[in-house]
Amino acid sequence: MVSVPGPWHPIPGGVTAPEGFLASGLTAGLKPSGKPDLCLLLAPVGAVCAGSFTTNRVRAACVDLCAERLAATGGRARAVLTNSGQANACTGERGRSDSLRATAALAERLGLPEEQVLICSTGVIGVPIPMPPLLAAMEPLMAGLSDEGGAAAATAILTTDLIDKQIALEASLGSRTVRIGGMAKGSGMIHPAMATMLGYLTCDAGVPAGVWQAMVQRAVDRSFNAITVDGDTSTNDTYLAFAAGEPLSPEHFEALEAGLTAVSQHLARAIARDGEGATCLIEVRVEGAVDEAGARAIARTVCGSSLVKTAIHGRDPNWGRILAAAGRAGVAFDPQAVALWLGEHQLMAAGQPLDFDRPAASAYMQARAAGAYLSDDTIAIRLRVGDGPGSGSAWGCDLSDQYVRINADYTT
Amino acid sequence: MVSVPGPWHPIPGGVTAPEGFLASGLTAGLKPSGKPDLCLLLAPVGAVCAGSFTTNRVRAACVDLCAERLAATGGRARAVLTNSGQANACTGERGRSDSLRATAALAERLGLPEEQVLICSTGVIGVPIPMPPLLAAMEPLMAGLSDEGGAAAATAILTTDLIDKQIALEASLGSRTVRIGGMAKGSGMIHPAMATMLGYLTCDAGVPAGVWQAMVQRAVDRSFNAITVDGDTSTNDTYLAFAAGEPLSPEHFEALEAGLTAVSQHLARAIARDGEGATCLIEVRVEGAVDEAGARAIARTVCGSSLVKTAIHGRDPNWGRILAAAGRAGVAFDPQAVALWLGEHQLMAAGQPLDFDRPAASAYMQARAAGAYLSDDTIAIRLRVGDGPGSGSAWGCDLSDQYVRINADYTT
């Protein structure tokens, strides 16, 4: 569990925990496996939605459509349809027209303008969505909408993830109660050529669209943009964050942002922990950098290094690989100022290795392997690179031979 | 064997094939394994030397010393001492003073100014060089200098490489014969925390220092800067290129550059092919980009993708992973214009998959695995991203479970 800041505390549920949000999920028959594959999330009247999308030049038609519609409406989206099994990327004109048909059919039934309906797809690249079963499932999907539908929705967006990923937080802000919910999928035993990450956040406080968009972007930079499983950016990555409800007093914006950052970080960590073949979560915290962006860049480079990831898989306190990775992050720092900790064990000071207790450091890493999901399985690396004010974190997972076998043996 | 351009043809030998260059290599007792570990390369009077060094912020004292001395003398270096076994990185003040002591001792014996003597170190990070055996080996090292010493030198610079890496080319340029020699080490079964790549090139034609430096930089961009084994940049990467002899007429500069690019590419490909756990060499050629730098950036991103590397390890013609990797290279192109070939098999046209002969494409990849070293073991990927004039190549190797075991099981 990510540490929960300030006034926030965890409550049961996910995206339907905030007031007014409805969701449903079912099996439409899109996946050969017969698992749940279609999900609908409906936001209350007046909702604003902030979107964050893959930076890949090759992106799916549904991603283009989401971005266009959020821009055209100033973030006034009300509904998102998500199908899992087919990414609908590299499917040409048909990909675009299928996305338009699906959202048009849903908009008509919901009585909404088409521009307020979004679609996200995840699954195999190059494969179109089977439209007849998708269209046939619209009625039961709408009939299933409920304020307890978050769990079914969180299941229906999965592809080959090992576990559901959802969270809800609650806080008293002034005289009112505010809730934030979230769900995500990604990175677990990824089908080759799968498009990877989807995340959804809901909040029952009203926030001006511009303020909300800026808050969400900062939260994304501190969560999803700070994780890495294998360095490959997918064609479909999407994060959609809805806020709807009585306007929140600006004095509580800072607390709200802390909550949505915590929810985003929980979901991002859950994705990293569920990385292909992973046996532990790696958390790298960099301190003393010139600024936060530089600290995060160093942290993410260390997290993404194949040599660091394999060393951690072998539970080897290999400070040399950590330092070499930090050095190639493209961020200036003085190597002679570096100090490094692994858990409580200090491995370096003033840029040189200390005579640390190697068996104890290895034992710390071994113990993390056996820990409970997202609690005691985190191997914490702390790197101080100077006296600057910038600090930041990144999360990843170890690189195992199982990762190679998963990705080498499977033929699309 | 890399294709040899224009007037050049291969000849036996390595760095001592060009006239006037001497080298020696021996076992000084620096490595616990008892393998050769010390090498000396001596360039003729009047040599100019161009150096290219790691961009890692954390770099060894010897790298700083090389860069400083080449800057101070305008590239007038005459000798390079190389020790293998200890990288002498992250060794603080002692690392610097040991490098100074070693080069001072050698300069005195050679009768050269200290500034004209360089030192390169490769091996375990954080471990200083054992100075007494190194200093004791100076006399026999000098006594062993010969114009046939290239092979002994190429062996003495290795750490855990599986094979020696050297090459020599010859051409008639106008009325004279010019030879280029090269040797390198790196990437083979790397010891955890090893500092990786060293390369040396010699040429018996005189070229003005500024012209030579520019030629070498372009060749490095098209060779060493275009390979990747695991994305980790070492603390000691160094390439030193010497030119010494009768001045070459400028009309032959273009031919000379083609030769030194071919030598550099051969050495770079040999390093990639000898990558940890590799079963094949991957060559990615990108065409139709806006410029050469963009094409190379896309090619290197594809070569470095863990998902592409594991797919190739499984001999899976996974076009989706190749395209997704190309898309995140940070280079603009139109996804709808993409065409993709694997060997002779076209997998995509106009941004969409073709109905290609999958068993035949897999069979092409399978056959590459069994090929001879650096000849038939190359899996060739060709990606056309538009109609632009830019093309460029990158080389890498597949990602195997053996890579993970090598890097996870070995404890420093």
Side-chain angles (χ1 to χ4, degrees):
Chain A
M1 180 63 209
V2 73
S3 64
V4 175
W8 299 92
H9 63 270
I11 57 173
V15 288
T16 52
E19 203 175 319
F21 286 86
L22 306 176
S24 65
L26 52 68
T27 302
L30 309 177
K31 280 178 183 164
S33 67
K35 291 186 178 173
D37 50 22
L38 199 62
C39 146
L40 176 60
L41 174 62
L42 186 64
V45 175
V48 298
C49 177
S52 183
F53 304 100
T54 178
T55 56
N56 201 307
R57 293 272 168 188
V58 179
R59 64 184 203 176
C62 55
V63 178
D64 287 334
L65 195 67
C66 281
E68 289 164 20
R69 291 187 168 175
L70 288 178
T73 61
R76 291 282 160 191
R78 290 282 310 281
V80 196
L81 182 71
T82 304
N83 69 286
S84 59
Q86 299 82 30
N88 200 20
C90 302
T91 45
E93 284 305 314
R94 174 167 173 188
R96 174 84 181 180
S97 64
D98 285 349
S99 297
L100 289 169
R101 274 175 74 199
T103 51
L106 185 59
E108 187 185 348
R109 285 174 176 78
L110 290 169
L112 291 173
E114 288 182 31
E115 283 191 331
Q116 293 189 12
V117 180
L118 309 178
I119 180 168
C120 297
S121 302
T122 179
V124 184
I125 295 178
V127 179
I129 305 170
M131 290 302 287
L134 179 127
L135 294 172
M138 288 287 177
E139 292 295 342
L141 193 64
M142 287 183 54
L145 281 172
S146 98
D147 60 5
E148 292 178 343
T155 299
I157 61 174
L158 303 181
T159 51
T160 43
D161 302 55
L162 293 177
I163 61 153
D164 293 1
K165 299 167 184 74
Q166 60 171 350
I167 184 178
L169 299 182
E170 187 179 81
S172 292
L173 300 180
S175 60
R176 62 184 287 194
T177 300
V178 173
R179 294 177 205 88
I180 304 174
M183 64 177 180
K185 61 88 47 177
S187 290
M189 312 287 278
I190 298 170
H191 186 304
M194 278 299 228
T196 312
M197 191 223 103
L198 296 178
Y200 304 85
L201 181 143
T202 54
C203 175
D204 55 11
V207 182
V211 173
W212 183 242
Q213 177 70 49
M215 273 187 195
V216 170
Q217 188 56 53
R218 285 191 294 270
V220 166
D221 284 341
R222 289 168 182 165
S223 56
F224 295 103
N225 287 350
I227 61 172
T228 179
V229 169
D230 51 18
D232 278 292
T233 306
S234 108
T235 52
N236 288 47
D237 291 345
T238 297
Y239 192 49
L240 295 172
F242 292 88
E246 287 299 307
L248 185 70
S249 166
E251 71 186 294
H252 299 305
F253 283 175
E254 190 177 334
L256 182 67
E257 182 169 338
L260 73 91
T261 299
V263 166
S264 302
Q265 287 181 343
H266 173 84
L267 295 173
R269 285 163 54 108
I271 287 174
R273 179 59 186 86
D274 202 8
E276 297 174 321
T279 69
C280 64
L281 179 70
I282 303 171
E283 177 170 278
V284 178
R285 178 162 182 81
V286 172
E287 302 170 348
V290 172
D291 55 23
E292 182 184 335
R296 273 206 310 269
I298 295 170
R300 203 180 187 195
T301 303
V302 172
C303 266
S305 157
S306 292
L307 289 173
V308 171
K309 287 155 67 86
T310 48
I312 289 177
H313 184 61
R315 302 303 191 265
D316 173 15
N318 196 315
W319 58 269
R321 294 187 186 178
I322 295 169
L323 197 62
R328 68 174 165 86
V331 177
F333 65 87
D334 176 10
Q336 305 304 323
V338 165
L340 176 69
W341 290 262
L342 181 66
E344 298 297 315
H345 305 274
Q346 185 168 6
L347 310 190
M348 297 187 78
Q352 294 183 59
L354 298 172
D355 188 21
F356 64 95
D357 183 345
R358 186 173 292 273
S362 292
Y364 161 78
M365 300 174 86
Q366 292 287 355
R368 298 307 109 173
Y373 184 78
L374 280 178
S375 56
D376 288 339
D377 62 354
T378 304
I379 290 181
I381 294 169
R382 184 158 65 95
L383 185 66
R384 173 158 279 279
V385 297
D387 297 324
S391 63
S393 297
W395 298 272
C397 59
D398 55 335
L399 174 57
S400 67
D401 25 8
Q402 204 194 343
Y403 171 90
V404 176
R405 295 278 36 118
I406 291 165
N407 283 296
D409 292 348
Y410 203 113
T411 302
T412 48
Chain B
M1 180 65 208
V2 76
S3 64
V4 175
W8 299 92
H9 63 271
I11 57 172
V15 288
T16 51
E19 203 174 318
F21 285 87
L22 305 176
S24 66
L26 52 69
T27 302
L30 308 176
K31 279 178 181 164
S33 67
K35 291 187 177 172
D37 52 20
L38 198 63
C39 147
L40 175 60
L41 174 62
L42 186 64
V45 174
V48 298
C49 177
S52 183
F53 304 100
T54 180
T55 55
N56 202 309
R57 293 272 168 189
V58 179
R59 64 183 202 177
C62 54
V63 178
D64 288 334
L65 194 66
C66 281
E68 289 164 19
R69 290 188 169 175
L70 287 178
T73 60
R76 293 280 158 194
R78 289 282 313 280
V80 196
L81 183 71
T82 304
N83 69 287
S84 59
Q86 298 82 30
N88 199 19
C90 303
T91 45
E93 283 305 315
R94 175 168 171 187
R96 174 85 183 176
S97 65
D98 285 348
S99 298
L100 290 169
R101 274 176 73 200
T103 51
L106 185 59
E108 187 185 348
R109 285 174 176 77
L110 290 170
L112 292 172
E114 288 183 31
E115 282 191 332
Q116 293 188 10
V117 179
L118 309 179
I119 180 168
C120 296
S121 303
T122 179
V124 184
I125 296 177
V127 178
I129 306 170
M131 289 303 286
L134 179 126
L135 294 172
M138 288 287 175
E139 291 295 342
L141 193 64
M142 287 183 54
L145 281 172
S146 100
D147 59 7
E148 293 178 345
T155 300
I157 62 175
L158 303 181
T159 49
T160 44
D161 302 55
L162 293 176
I163 61 154
D164 291 5
K165 299 166 185 75
Q166 60 170 349
I167 183 177
L169 298 182
E170 186 179 81
S172 291
L173 299 180
S175 59
R176 62 185 284 195
T177 299
V178 173
R179 294 176 205 90
I180 304 174
M183 65 178 181
K185 62 87 47 176
S187 290
M189 312 288 276
I190 299 171
H191 187 301
M194 277 301 223
T196 311
M197 193 222 100
L198 296 179
Y200 305 85
L201 181 143
T202 54
C203 174
D204 54 13
V207 183
V211 174
W212 183 242
Q213 176 71 48
M215 275 187 195
V216 170
Q217 188 55 53
R218 286 192 294 269
V220 166
D221 284 341
R222 291 168 182 164
S223 57
F224 296 102
N225 286 351
I227 61 171
T228 177
V229 169
D230 51 16
D232 277 292
T233 306
S234 108
T235 51
N236 287 48
D237 291 344
T238 296
Y239 193 49
L240 295 173
F242 292 88
E246 286 301 305
L248 186 71
S249 165
E251 69 185 296
H252 299 304
F253 283 176
E254 191 176 334
L256 182 68
E257 183 169 337
L260 75 89
T261 299
V263 166
S264 302
Q265 286 181 345
H266 173 84
L267 296 173
R269 286 163 54 109
I271 288 174
R273 179 58 186 87
D274 201 10
E276 297 174 322
T279 69
C280 63
L281 179 71
I282 303 171
E283 176 171 279
V284 178
R285 177 162 182 80
V286 173
E287 302 170 350
V290 172
D291 55 24
E292 182 185 335
R296 272 206 310 269
I298 295 171
R300 200 179 189 196
T301 303
V302 172
C303 265
S305 157
S306 293
L307 289 173
V308 171
K309 287 155 67 85
T310 48
I312 290 178
H313 185 61
R315 300 304 190 264
D316 173 15
N318 198 314
W319 58 268
R321 293 186 187 177
I322 294 169
L323 197 63
R328 68 174 165 84
V331 177
F333 66 89
D334 176 10
Q336 304 305 322
V338 165
L340 177 68
W341 290 262
L342 182 66
E344 298 297 312
H345 305 274
Q346 185 169 6
L347 310 190
M348 297 187 79
Q352 294 182 57
L354 299 172
D355 188 20
F356 63 95
D357 183 346
R358 184 174 293 273
S362 291
Y364 160 78
M365 300 174 85
Q366 292 287 354
R368 299 307 109 175
Y373 184 77
L374 279 181
S375 56
D376 289 339
D377 62 351
T378 304
I379 291 181
I381 294 168
R382 185 157 66 93
L383 185 67
R384 174 158 276 280
V385 297
D387 298 324
S391 63
S393 298
W395 298 271
C397 59
D398 56 332
L399 175 57
S400 67
D401 26 7
Q402 204 194 343
Y403 171 90
V404 176
R405 294 277 38 114
I406 291 164
N407 283 295
D409 293 348
Y410 209 115
T411 302
T412 48

